[in-house]
Amino acid sequence: MGTGASRNTDGDGSNGDDGKEGILDHAGGQFYVSLKMVNIKLKGDLIPHVYGSVPLVGSWDSSKALAMGRESASMWELSFVVPPNHETLDFKFLLKPKYGNGPCIVEEGPNRLLTGGALQGDSRSALFRLDSDEVLEYRVFIKADRVSPFDLAASWRAYQENLEPSTVRGIPDVSINSVQQTGAENGSSASLELDIEHYVVPAPSTSANSGLVYAANMTETPRSLSRAGVLSNADSSGSVSHSGISVDRPALIKDMEVSVPDPSKVYSSSGMVESKSVGTFSPLQKQDSHRGLFVDRGVGSPRLVKSASASTFNIDLKLDTETKNSMPAAAGAVAAAAVADQMLGPKEHRHLAIVLVGLPARGKTFTAAKLTRYLRWLGHDTKHFNVGKYRRLKHGVNQSADFFRADNPEGMEARNEVAALAMEDMISWMHEGGQVGIFDATNSSRKRRNMLMKMAEGNCKIIFLETICNDRDIIERNIRLKIQQSPDYAEEPDFEAGLQDFKNRLANYEKVYEPVDEGSYIKMIDMVSGHGGQIQVNNISGYLPGRIVFFLVNTHLTPRPILLTRHGESRDNVRGRIGGDTILSDAGEIYAKKLANFVEKRLKSERAASIWTSTLQRTILTASPIAGFPKIQWRALDEINAGVCDGMTYEEIKKNMPEEYEARKKDKLRYRYPRGESYLDVIQRLEPVIIELERQRAPVVVISHQAVLRALYAYFADRPLKEIPHIETPLHTIIEIQMGVTGVQEKRYKLMD
């Protein structure tokens, strides 16, 4: 057993104005605490945690306890900075299961108490009594030091230079911020009213969802049912609404018989003979191998790679639709991977079907919607097919829980029927050039999954994505959201009756649920909370499946706002010059102060928030008045590289480089400045930023540039790639993106003209 404690004062030896020893002195020092626990005989998957009297360690709420990090095979460590308004720290150690939601085991004995850096009472080991009356003993080491904000900032600078992530929790600021001036002309707090809602402006009509929208309603419109005229019994208005667009539809056809054709007959390929041996070609393949390969190189116009045979080059221009359309509108790694798939991969692997598996209320549709948005943003042609939407159109919305019983043959036949229709639509779309289909349903039995795999043979590669959640609180929350938002219960006036019916439906599924253990699959186990969980993968290979796994590892449902804003007006903005690295104009400096005031008010209760900027000084200067939050510079957030056009006006480009001006005007998305970048290049370098924004559980303020923010906004708003160069991102305006279980919502604030 061993316990240690140390206490430091400021350099002059004083402990504060009043002579009393406290956590903070008058000069603003912070109190740094380091806790270590050692146990050679570790027990299963129990992870040491700390919880106590301050919010940072949970305010005595065990569910918010801070996990200790493993420093070695037998040692666990946790370091944090105590907030300045706490003179004492009252805490205890506890053990929590690594997986699942088992009970916590709190250490025996009284609370541990740190006052002014000194450990009160006798030092002791941490003893934990298990259910079997077995006692686990951990040696405890406690260290406490007083450090100044300048030391903390210096520590952060060292972290940035060495690129090593900090393990200290609760550092209030990682840059030295000068005290914000008050009362300065045009920059005082009076210049921004206390009610920030005063600055709200309407978002564009094509913005992210401003209200609660049921995710399944935003999925692909069922083509097979629309063509056949099968509609929901709940709506006979003669038009169907999808994503806010009304389309005419034929009248309802009752008692329609739907037959599922043999996929091998319907989707037989023509003009191509495939060899099962990698790297070899049949005679017909050799003939096709002389074709030019369509490669999107991110420039003003598509280019064709000349074939090896000059005699067949004229034919090269007539590319078959499938080869041309399956190339994503992307650059960099995405385009390179697509070329590799075209040249080396089996034909059916050029199309990917992500088939969701899981019980109701486990976040399948939410996960499918996020994955669809991510893949579209990268440039992959992706669509989300929701079988529930097909069911509602074919059989109506008033289906009780009995419809979903496994021993109801009519209900089983009806549900398999609409699943086959949705799969048929997805495969048809893939043969028209679609690349990734997200097939969203419970798919809870091996029989259903085998049916889908047979339909996919020779057409696409299937990866099952199973979502498993064991957190009863999250499941209950999802069930209640389902009753509030799902069209299945739109006509049920009694919330409790709807709630009971859905729970009965869920029980019917649970009785016959069969977890995935066949084929290629990804299992997400307790990942939705963002606190731990695990992902299991089986037989996953290739660029795109790998990117999907990496994305899913970093997603969660924790609600938090993301604020996007351009830098304050720069001097080059005033001159109309693109690129450059100039300082702010007078108006830009005023905006920087207003932005700091806004962030202070909007995020006053979010001390874990962070400020992200580019490495260009106009964003760094815009962020400089913001105090109390860590500031992180990303080179990936730098403005689009204008190459040889950097520092020019558009009029100068038009006059001196008319061909470049016209090429950019024709296709701003793919146009690449000479020795510079295109919008597609910007999207590729922003992917790590998107992944990190998805991973963050606290608010983030992104201060960047017009092209970059257009690309980031397009991801959250699920805007098509072709629209990105034209998205409205005005100066001195804040776009707040609210991320959470209900999807993505947007609000805009205009602080000044």
Side-chain angles (χ1 to χ4, degrees):
M1 168 168 39
T3 306
S6 66
R7 171 169 47 87
N8 292 340
T9 60
D10 289 340
D12 61 1
S14 64
N15 295 320
D17 287 353
D18 57 4
K20 293 182 180 180
E21 195 176 68
I23 286 183
L24 291 180
D25 63 6
H26 185 69
Q30 306 292 322
F31 204 71
Y32 169 84
V33 178
S34 174
L35 308 175
K36 294 186 179 183
M37 297 176 64
V38 179
N39 184 355
I40 303 298
K41 300 178 181 179
L42 299 177
K43 185 71 175 179
D45 290 324
L46 295 176
I47 308 298
H49 286 63
V50 178
Y51 79 136
S53 57
V54 298
L56 183 65
V57 289
S59 297
W60 293 118
D61 182 349
S62 60
S63 66
K64 299 178 182 178
L66 274 184
M68 302 184 75
R70 188 187 289 276
E71 191 173 85
S72 66
S74 59
M75 180 177 291
W76 300 79
E77 190 269 346
L78 176 66
S79 302
F80 55 92
V81 175
V82 176
N85 58 339
H86 288 78
E87 292 291 329
T88 61
L89 173 63
D90 221 355
F91 69 99
K92 268 193 166 185
F93 296 102
L94 58 85
L95 300 179
K96 297 177 73 172
K98 184 175 182 181
Y99 304 113
N101 295 292
C104 302
I105 306 171
V106 182
E107 70 164 311
E108 298 192 333
N111 297 344
R112 299 175 186 269
L113 184 64
L114 274 173
T115 302
L119 183 66
Q120 306 299 310
D122 297 329
S123 60
R124 68 181 192 274
S125 294
L127 301 178
F128 301 88
R129 188 173 300 278
L130 307 183
D131 292 340
S132 60
D133 285 336
E134 179 184 359
V135 176
L136 288 181
E137 180 178 357
Y138 286 74
R139 297 175 62 195
V140 175
F141 300 86
I142 301 175
K143 182 179 180 181
D145 291 294
R146 192 189 311 278
V147 292
S148 72
F150 297 96
D151 291 331
L152 290 175
S155 173
W156 179 257
R157 285 197 300 272
Y159 144 64
Q160 286 184 311
E161 291 170 1
N162 295 295
L163 299 178
E164 295 178 357
S166 173
T167 59
V168 181
R169 315 291 181 89
I171 294 181
D173 204 345
V174 295
S175 61
I176 302 176
N177 292 293
S178 58
V179 178
Q180 193 171 355
Q181 295 181 356
T182 58
E185 183 180 359
N186 295 324
S188 67
S189 59
S191 66
L192 182 66
E193 297 182 15
L194 292 177
D195 182 10
I196 61 177
E197 296 298 318
H198 174 77
Y199 293 90
V200 173
V201 294
S205 58
T206 52
S207 64
N209 302 329
S210 58
L212 299 182
V213 178
Y214 187 55
N217 289 345
M218 305 300 292
T219 59
E220 181 66 8
T221 299
R223 296 194 291 180
S224 55
L225 297 184
S226 298
R227 287 194 299 265
V230 179
L231 306 176
S232 167
N233 296 330
D235 182 4
S236 56
S237 62
S239 65
V240 92
S241 178
H242 175 62
S243 300
I245 302 174
S246 181
V247 235
D248 291 338
R249 67 189 183 192
L252 175 65
I253 299 178
K254 296 183 178 179
D255 303 322
M256 172 191 168
E257 181 179 348
V258 181
S259 60
V260 182
D262 183 350
S264 62
K265 296 179 181 178
V266 176
Y267 303 114
S268 59
S269 57
S270 60
M272 177 72 78
V273 179
E274 293 194 356
S275 169
K276 298 299 181 183
S277 174
V278 176
T280 63
F281 299 87
S282 69
L284 282 179
Q285 284 178 306
K286 287 183 178 180
Q287 181 180 353
D288 282 351
S289 71
H290 291 296
R291 286 185 171 185
L293 183 62
F294 181 82
V295 182
D296 189 339
R297 301 174 61 181
V299 292
S301 58
R303 297 182 182 179
L304 197 64
V305 178
K306 188 173 182 179
S307 66
S309 171
S311 62
T312 60
F313 183 63
N314 291 335
I315 305 176
D316 293 342
L317 296 174
K318 300 178 181 179
L319 294 174
D320 61 273
T321 303
E322 184 175 350
T323 300
K324 182 176 179 180
N325 290 348
S326 59
M327 289 296 297
V334 173
V339 170
D341 288 345
Q342 287 284 345
M343 299 180 69
L344 301 176
K347 182 180 178 182
E348 63 268 21
H349 287 193
R350 300 175 190 174
H351 308 292
L352 182 63
I354 304 297
V355 177
L356 274 294
V357 178
L359 291 167
R362 263 55 175 186
K364 295 186 302 299
T365 299
F366 177 83
T367 301
K370 291 191 76 168
L371 185 57
T372 301
R373 192 174 74 234
Y374 170 70
L375 294 175
R376 283 175 178 166
W377 182 78
L378 283 181
H380 301 284
D381 191 1
T382 306
K383 282 190 177 180
H384 180 183
F385 295 81
N386 180 268
V387 176
K389 190 171 185 177
Y390 280 72
R391 170 179 54 78
R392 285 185 284 273
L393 283 172
K394 178 69 168 68
H395 300 287
V397 299
N398 298 317
Q399 302 297 335
S400 69
D402 290 339
F403 181 80
F404 301 92
R405 291 199 338 256
D407 58 356
N408 178 353
E410 292 82 6
M412 287 290 293
E413 181 180 357
R415 288 187 285 133
N416 285 332
E417 175 188 69
V418 292
L421 285 171
M423 190 70 175
E424 180 186 343
D425 275 1
M426 186 172 73
I427 293 174
S428 296
W429 166 74
M430 286 179 174
H431 279 263
E432 295 167 3
Q435 188 180 7
V436 184
I438 312 292
F439 190 84
D440 180 12
T442 55
N443 300 314
S444 54
S445 68
R446 290 188 183 90
K447 184 177 180 180
R448 162 73 72 81
R449 298 194 292 267
N450 287 337
M451 179 192 81
L452 299 177
M453 286 193 287
K454 287 180 181 178
M455 294 184 71
E457 286 178 1
N459 297 297
C460 61
K461 175 181 175 60
I462 279 186
I463 294 177
F464 293 113
L465 173 56
E466 185 176 15
T467 60
I468 299 172
C469 179
N470 298 304
D471 188 320
R472 303 310 304 180
D473 292 337
I474 292 178
I475 295 172
E476 182 68 22
R477 180 191 64 188
N478 289 348
I479 290 174
R480 291 182 173 273
L481 283 172
K482 188 95 171 179
I483 305 306
Q484 293 170 2
Q485 299 180 20
S486 173
D488 284 346
Y489 296 97
E491 298 179 5
E492 174 56 70
D494 187 342
F495 179 86
E496 292 301 324
L499 183 64
Q500 187 57 51
D501 179 81
F502 187 83
K503 289 184 176 181
N504 292 339
R505 181 196 300 191
L506 180 55
N508 290 332
Y509 276 107
E510 289 174 335
K511 292 175 184 176
V512 295
Y513 185 78
E514 296 174 300
V516 173
D517 57 8
E518 70 270 24
S520 300
Y521 63 77
I522 305 167
K523 285 179 183 275
M524 298 177 64
I525 305 173
D526 292 325
M527 291 289 294
V528 293
S529 67
H531 302 284
Q534 60 177 272
I535 280 193
Q536 298 176 3
V537 297
N538 181 67
N539 194 24
I540 299 296
S541 61
Y543 174 80
L544 189 52
R547 300 311 302 165
I548 289 172
V549 171
F550 184 64
F551 175 75
L552 294 174
V553 166
N554 290 283
T555 58
H556 56 87
L557 302 181
T558 306
R560 74 278 190 199
I562 294 172
L563 306 180
L564 307 177
T565 183
R566 290 174 64 183
H567 54 80
E569 181 188 63
S570 70
R571 293 187 177 179
D572 272 348
N573 287 142
V574 176
R575 303 182 187 114
R577 300 193 178 277
I578 63 175
D581 191 19
T582 59
I583 62 174
L584 300 179
S585 68
D586 291 342
E589 291 179 356
I590 294 173
Y591 177 70
K593 295 173 183 177
K594 285 178 174 273
L595 177 64
N597 210 338
F598 178 92
V599 170
E600 178 186 353
K601 292 177 173 62
R602 176 64 184 84
L603 303 179
K604 60 183 177 181
S605 60
E606 302 281 2
R607 305 319 296 176
S610 56
I611 314 297
W612 297 3
T613 72
S614 73
T615 63
L616 301 176
Q617 63 174 336
R618 54 189 182 273
T619 64
I620 297 171
L621 291 172
T622 302
S624 61
I626 303 174
F629 299 100
K631 301 188 182 79
I632 301 169
Q633 296 176 16
W634 287 71
R635 188 170 295 279
L637 290 175
D638 285 2
E639 178 61 296
I640 187 171
N641 184 353
V644 299
C645 299
D646 189 78
M648 299 174 66
T649 66
Y650 288 118
E651 284 300 318
E652 289 171 344
I653 296 173
K654 184 177 182 179
K655 178 180 178 181
N656 300 318
M657 307 172 70
E659 292 183 358
E660 294 297 330
Y661 182 85
E662 289 301 321
R664 177 180 178 274
K665 186 177 179 180
K666 288 179 181 177
D667 191 350
K668 288 183 67 176
L669 177 68
R670 292 173 176 80
Y671 172 78
R672 179 179 290 145
Y673 286 101
R675 301 182 186 177
E677 289 182 303
S678 68
Y679 270 92
L680 292 177
D681 295 326
V682 171
I683 290 171
Q684 288 299 299
R685 66 166 154 98
L686 282 176
E687 187 188 10
V689 178
I690 289 295
I691 295 293
E692 189 58 29
L693 285 173
E694 287 286 358
R695 195 182 70 84
Q696 293 284 320
R697 285 189 287 272
V700 177
V701 180
V702 180
I703 304 174
S704 188
H705 309 268
Q706 180 167 251
V708 171
L709 292 181
R710 282 171 168 167
L712 290 178
Y713 175 81
Y715 168 76
F716 293 112
D718 196 16
R719 297 280 288 275
L721 289 179
K722 64 182 180 181
E723 293 183 10
I724 290 179
H726 311 287
I727 291 174
E728 183 182 353
T729 53
L731 284 169
H732 306 156
T733 301
I734 300 166
I735 304 173
E736 179 176 328
I737 303 293
Q738 187 71 41
M739 299 177 64
V741 68
T742 56
V744 177
Q745 300 171 60
E746 174 190 346
K747 182 180 286 188
R748 294 196 177 203
Y749 305 88
K750 189 169 184 62
L751 302 192
M752 54 187 286
D753 294 326

